Amino acid sequence: MKKTVHVGIYDTMADWETGHATAHLRSGRFHREPGGYELVTVALTAEPITTMGGLRVTPDLTLDRLDPAGSALLILAGADLWDQGDELAPFARKAREFLDAGVPVAAICGATAGLAREGLLDDRDHTSAVVHYLAAQDGYAGAGRYLDEDAVTGGDLITAGPTEPVAFAREILRRLDVCRPDVLDAWFRLHSRSDASAYEVLMTA
């Protein structure tokens, strides 16, 4: 039976930030176990959303029905809405539910600001665009745990800045133990650096 990964979707969602992670999770390619993951999109309402790239997406599930017990991971992408008020705050509160239940959460770009306002970064290693971006968020007191890295896993929380969708995917795949370490390293070298030597590892995986 496939494990389920939930992906938060909302208007102005930065659709490119999660593409490497979701495509690899769904494909099952190079996975330790065959079959891949089922991806379920989650929105505030049942109405379609429009991503920053103009894609219209109909959600599979509403946020109020999302139970961490039925999930392997919650992914939250950036969006203009994270910086324009509290409309997406329910996703940050749901992230708290996931973390309290011991279920991983992965947030990139503006979603890290939403988690900062919820206080979820204060006691966990994390990253974002720059520390000053998070420092401007009400409620953030985690500057001492900020790491200037491409992506960071702090326990059950994965974070990355807006320019690091491949590193974000790497941390997700590592946290879920999707691939052998040598395969994951080769996958990352290929997609982040166009390292042709990675092909040999991937073709024999």
Side-chain angles (χ1 to χ4, degrees):
M1 186 174 181
K2 287 188 177 182
K3 297 178 181 178
T4 301
V5 167
H6 291 89
V7 182
I9 61 171
Y10 21 80
D11 287 333
T12 73
M13 172 188 171
D15 29 16
W16 64 92
E17 292 178 343
T18 60
H20 285 280
T22 55
H24 193 80
L25 287 170
R26 184 177 182 275
S27 74
R29 227 176 147 198
F30 311 127
H31 289 204
R32 291 180 189 268
E33 299 177 6
Y37 285 73
E38 178 185 10
L39 297 178
V40 175
T41 56
V42 185
L44 292 172
T45 72
E47 295 301 311
I49 65 94
T50 302
T51 70
M52 198 178 294
L55 300 179
R56 191 169 170 83
V57 184
T58 301
D60 300 310
L61 186 71
T62 54
L63 189 64
D64 61 314
R65 295 177 55 207
L66 176 57
D67 184 350
S71 185
L73 172 75
L74 173 63
I75 300 177
L76 299 174
D80 289 342
L81 289 179
W82 284 113
D83 297 319
Q84 295 175 356
D86 295 327
E87 183 176 342
L88 299 185
F91 282 98
R93 292 194 290 270
K94 184 62 69 172
R96 178 180 292 281
E97 286 183 34
F98 268 64
L99 293 171
D100 286 348
V103 182
V105 172
I108 184 170
C109 189
T112 63
L115 300 194
R117 292 190 293 271
E118 184 66 19
L120 297 178
L121 307 185
D122 295 349
D123 301 314
R124 298 174 174 90
D125 289 345
H126 61 277
T127 193
S128 184
V130 289
V131 69
H132 309 296
Y133 173 58
L134 297 182
Q137 310 301 320
D138 290 340
Y140 176 66
R145 302 295 294 268
Y146 185 90
L147 301 175
D148 190 15
E149 298 180 9
D150 57 5
V152 170
T153 297
D156 288 324
L157 179 65
I158 297 164
T159 51
T163 61
E164 300 295 344
V166 180
F168 185 56
R170 179 198 65 208
E171 294 304 299
I172 288 172
L173 300 175
R174 178 182 290 154
R175 179 61 184 78
L176 295 180
D177 196 26
V178 170
C179 313
R180 298 195 323 256
D182 62 320
V183 172
L184 180 57
D185 173 70
W187 180 90
F188 180 71
R189 286 189 287 112
L190 178 64
H191 289 278
S192 64
R193 305 170 197 159
S194 300
D195 184 346
S197 69
Y199 276 112
E200 183 177 353
V201 178
L202 295 176
M203 291 303 99
T204 58

